[in-house]
Amino acid sequence: MKPAAAATLPPTVHMVAREAGVSAATVSRFLNGTAKVSDDKRRAIEEVIERLNFKPNVLAQNLKTGSSRTIGVLTQSLVSGYFTDAMSGIEDALKNTGYAPLIVSGHWHADEEAERIELLIARRVDGLVILTGRLTDAQILDFSRRVPIMVFGRQLDAPRAFGFCQDHYRAACDAVEYLVLQGHRHIAFIAGPHDHEDARARLAGYQDTLKRHHIKRDARLVVAGDFHESGGLQAIEQLLESGQRFTAIFAANDLSAYGARLGLYRRNIRVPDDVSIVGFDDLHSSTSTTPPLTTVRQPLFEVGRCLGQGILSMIAHEPFTVDVPPLALVVRESVRRIG
């Protein structure tokens, strides 16, 4: 009986070193990036790695260096366009760096967020990026004693935790100002969750802009929402049932605006002929609503890229700056001038 052929063993660091004419330690330094390797040796190692189709044992490297080469990302939703844009920016920042993101969701529950962060730390992530959420500053600072953290949606500046946010108050002022300049005086507001800092800032911008233009505030024109389409739909139905007069709606986010638009459509109320709508976020789908939505653009991809670059700098103990484009009103076709 013919003996079975011996299984071909995968190439090892020692085989790469022998073929490249260098020491195994030099190959290890090249793979780990722990020391500079001369151009000649680097080219020789790369040629052999490609020829042998060598795949480094990442787990063994991680155990040796104490690094997992992963960045934990805590988001609040894995399906929301708001968060996927930011996560795409993080991925872009990590591209070609040897780091990969490990993404979990906290679903806007502080206990779940803390549990997910503990899970990420247990998996020895090298850094954490937090996309908004319910955790307190004190909780984030406590976690930062174990792993460096970049966070979006709050201001933080500690040795191992840095956070930044954008001016939602000013952007809301700009949105309402635009409606006022288009002749609107009866402007309804679909609010976000009352315990969400960004939602409170947008409400304050709405209220202060009306006051600045000497437009009497009507509490009956402010209705609760939850940042979801269903909440926007429920809010517009409440407004319409109340019989309050309004010619325009400022929705605290685009999803709420989508829900409001659906509710108006079901009542045969035309946008913008009968009622104008402005949103907040500028999700990708806002360019293809009927009509395309006037909204405040959040540069979420750029935010994500800044977060990714920042956490890499923190891991490397290097200085960094946060340079994110400001929020800006994008005028489309959902607002009509009146008067």
Side-chain angles (χ1 to χ4, degrees):
M1 185 175 179
K2 186 176 179 180
T8 303
L9 295 175
T12 64
V13 168
H14 291 281
M15 292 169 63
V16 172
R18 184 169 61 252
E19 292 284 330
V22 299
S23 68
T26 298
V27 175
S28 294
R29 287 197 301 271
F30 169 79
L31 294 173
N32 297 333
T34 55
K36 184 173 175 59
V37 177
S38 70
D39 289 343
D40 288 345
K41 291 180 179 179
R42 175 180 56 79
R43 282 192 292 269
I45 293 170
E46 288 175 342
E47 187 277 327
V48 173
I49 285 175
E50 183 175 0
R51 176 160 49 84
L52 297 182
N53 193 28
F54 171 70
K55 306 293 184 186
N57 186 329
V58 176
L59 179 59
Q61 285 181 282
N62 293 346
L63 291 172
K64 186 177 292 185
T65 63
S67 167
S68 67
R69 308 293 287 181
T70 57
I71 302 297
V73 179
L74 173 66
T75 181
Q76 299 306 320
S77 170
L78 297 175
V79 296
S80 165
Y82 178 98
F83 291 108
T84 54
D85 278 359
M87 288 188 286
S88 294
I90 294 170
E91 284 188 314
D92 186 75
L94 300 183
K95 187 169 56 181
N96 300 324
T97 66
Y99 284 88
L102 182 57
I103 302 168
V104 297
S105 177
H107 303 107
W108 292 109
H109 296 295
D111 290 345
E112 190 171 348
E113 291 171 28
E115 179 184 311
R116 294 294 182 268
I117 288 178
E118 289 287 1
L119 180 149
L120 291 170
I121 292 175
R123 280 156 177 74
R124 302 178 66 182
V125 295
D126 296 296
L128 273 174
V129 172
I130 300 176
L131 296 171
T132 71
R134 305 289 195 198
L135 293 175
T136 66
D137 289 356
Q139 286 176 294
I140 291 173
L141 292 174
D142 187 50
F143 282 125
S144 74
R145 296 188 179 96
R146 300 157 65 187
V147 63
I149 297 175
M150 283 286 293
V151 57
F152 177 59
R154 70 187 72 202
Q155 297 288 351
L156 277 178
D157 192 0
R160 285 167 58 86
F162 186 87
F164 66 93
C165 54
Q166 295 192 285
D167 195 344
H168 292 257
Y169 170 82
R170 176 50 52 195
C173 289
D174 291 344
V176 179
E177 179 90 9
Y178 175 70
L179 287 171
V180 172
L181 293 178
Q182 299 307 303
H184 296 277
R185 294 295 183 273
H186 302 279
I187 304 170
F189 180 65
I190 299 177
H194 70 278
D195 57 348
H196 195 294
E197 185 175 345
D198 292 347
R200 292 197 300 270
R202 296 170 199 179
L203 173 60
Y206 161 81
Q207 294 172 328
D208 290 352
T209 304
L210 294 183
K211 182 178 180 180
R212 192 162 53 250
H213 285 277
H214 308 289
I215 299 172
K216 185 178 179 181
R217 284 167 44 188
D218 187 343
R220 293 170 298 180
L221 289 179
V222 177
V223 288
D226 58 6
F227 280 167
H228 297 293
E229 291 177 68
S230 57
L233 175 59
Q234 184 175 348
I236 196 65
E237 289 174 345
Q238 179 181 333
L239 270 172
L240 293 171
E241 290 296 330
S242 72
Q244 298 303 309
R245 181 190 174 203
F246 58 94
T247 63
I249 301 166
F250 175 38
N253 73 338
D254 283 2
L255 291 179
S256 297
Y258 299 165
R261 173 70 184 87
L262 175 60
L264 294 172
Y265 169 78
R266 288 177 173 173
R267 300 286 189 105
N268 295 315
I269 299 172
R270 300 167 299 171
V271 176
D273 305 75
D274 302 320
V275 173
S276 296
I277 300 182
V278 174
F280 203 112
D281 284 339
D282 195 22
L283 302 179
H284 291 299
S285 50
S286 293
T287 61
S288 54
T289 55
T290 307
L293 184 67
T294 293
T295 184
V296 173
R297 179 177 185 269
Q298 290 208 67
L300 296 168
F301 180 86
E302 292 83 355
V303 164
R305 186 162 54 190
C306 189
L307 289 164
Q309 292 168 344
I311 196 62
L312 291 176
S313 296
M314 291 180 75
I315 292 168
H317 305 288
E318 296 173 349
F320 64 94
T321 58
V322 172
D323 186 17
V324 180
L327 305 178
L329 184 69
V330 179
V331 176
R332 297 196 180 101
E333 299 161 50
S334 62
V335 175
R336 181 176 75 92
R337 182 174 179 80
I338 63 173

